[in-house]
Amino acid sequence: MKAAKSDRYWNPVLETLPPEQLRELQFRKFRRIVSWAYERSRLHRALYQEAGFHPGDLHTLEDSVLVPKVGKAHMRGIQGKDPFPYGDALCVPIERVTEFRQTSGTTGQAVYQADTWQDWEWWAECWSYLLYAQGYRARDRVFLPFGYNIFVAFWAAHYAAEKMGLEVVPGGVLDTEARVAKMQELEVSAMMATPTYVLGMAECAQRMGIDPAYDLMVRRITCAGEPGASIPATKSRMEEAWGAKVYDHCGATEIGAWGFECQEQPGGIHVNEALFLAEVEDLETGRPVTEPGTKGRLVITALDRIAMPCVRFDSKDVVEWAEEPCSCGRSFRLCKGGVLGRVDDITKVKGVLLAPSAIEEVVRSFPELADEYEVVVKKKGDLDEIALRVEPAPGLPPERDSEALLRKLQHQLRLKTNLAYRLEMVEAGTLPRYALKAKRFKDLRKIEA
Amino acid sequence: MPNRWTETEAAPPIASPYAEILAELDRGVQEIKQAAFRLKAAGEGIQAVERNADRILASTRMLEINVSDMMGRPRSLASWTEDDAEL
């Protein structure tokens, strides 16, 4: 009997595969990519031998924990050596490499990434799963307002959109005003950008006398690069500003496009478990987390990427499995709330664990406040001090009672984060604006030390 | 070593409600793949043939990921060769 197909899925065969069969497929593919890395990457082989691990030790998917993890530091350590500039993790002849990309370098030295054309096809495949799940179809005209440079950003989205038959408008070197004007002229139906830039473009459009929700035709936005599209208050701001549905997506240069929010907007992102194996480790103990309710560190394997394999890569993303499956029918598991933060970002202030995304959620839940804010943590004597600077929302009368507003903000912040802040309302437009990834959280304690 | 990166032994197909259509799709995928390899060999190094055949093979690999891997069929990891040992 042939199963009924559905136009909800890019590939119903894999997206609705029952969990037991999905785990079997993952295990076969995991064993294969681990063996490939062991045989062909000097970096991986050395790590595995040092740990006493051999691919033949893999008998079940649970054995994945035997495989040593790889992190950014490993990749930085081999960089610049032969085969230049990728070093010991390159698994294919260098003449098969067709793509160079590098990480943004926000956490240190940029990491170089090689891909073959096969890998690039795979990148586009990952994005096809997610764009289709978010409702993109061949009738869409999609605008990509990004720099088309050495960062992977939305490059693969461009190729995926082409593969899916969409009409792609590359908004490369245009400035923001020119991008807004082009989007209006061409009546584009969708776009992709970081949450920071989505909000920044809306602000720019308003300055041009254009209301994106009414004067533009954008009805679907995909975000990447920052967690904002999974932060309810930020998502609402974007959706209201643009009159569009906003969807989240998660990925990284070294990993691939591993997660996506579907049209159901279930308050989380699906891991594409046909193409990736996601493992979550307890933040304190490092033990595997398989049940909902515990936040952990995402360790991830790209099951089909070959030039520089991503095998048990320590993403440093903090995630938590959701309790319920998604009503979309996919068997791919959900990470509740998307990426909740970075292991490096979660810090103790006055002895309290703080995730910067919690501050964003509170600030952006206040319609009286603008999108931008800045958090600075520093030492005052022996004590930590946390300061938050905010701006009034554009167009609000200046005589509004900012003292009362800040008191309300303080109350909400305390409820959400258990911390008291030194608050300051600054003049509209004075805080820094960002085009790509924003740096709104500054911890000066390490610098001061 | 029991698990080599170029797998030589077939595994049983993974159970799926799409089993019937998968078998049919997989046959088509393998035909494209074999045709592309034949084309590449017949091109005797003509770049316009070899490079375009490689692109077909890379795209065919996406079909294998979406379809044929469910059938448990052994395959190389690099789409441009039938045996990774030749890399």
Side-chain angles (χ1 to χ4, degrees), chain A residues 227-337:
Chain A
S230 281
I231 297 173
T234 303
K235 186 196 273 292
S236 293
R237 279 195 175 218
M238 290 189 281
E239 293 195 330
E240 281 167 24
W242 286 87
K245 283 284 184 190
V246 172
Y247 300 105
D248 199 6
H249 141 65
C250 299
T253 312
E254 310 95 319
I255 302 168
W258 61 264
F260 59 85
E261 184 178 11
C262 67
Q263 277 187 292
E264 299 294 314
Q265 295 188 307
I269 52 164
H270 290 278
V271 177
N272 185 337
E273 296 189 280
L275 305 180
F276 296 89
L277 175 67
E279 301 168 78
V280 180
E281 286 186 348
D282 188 281
L283 292 172
E284 301 283 333
T285 65
R287 291 201 190 102
V289 175
T290 53
E291 299 298 320
T294 306
K295 292 181 179 61
R297 174 195 293 258
L298 177 71
V299 175
I300 193 157
T301 299
L303 297 166
D304 299 285
R305 195 177 188 183
I306 63 166
M308 289 174 75
C310 168
V311 180
R312 297 205 81 226
F313 183 77
D314 180 4
S315 74
K316 297 200 171 181
D317 287 334
V318 177
V319 296
E320 177 183 344
W321 293 120
E323 286 169 18
E324 300 293 333
C326 184
S327 56
C328 72
R330 285 178 181 79
S331 44
F332 296 169
R333 284 177 294 174
L334 276 175
C335 291
K336 183 180 171 184

Side-chain angles (χ1 to χ4, degrees), chain A residues 135-150:
Chain A
Y136 287 78
R137 296 294 183 269
R139 64 183 174 273
D140 277 309
R141 178 177 294 143
V142 60
F143 192 85
L144 295 179
F146 88 102
Y148 285 89
N149 54 23
I150 50 177

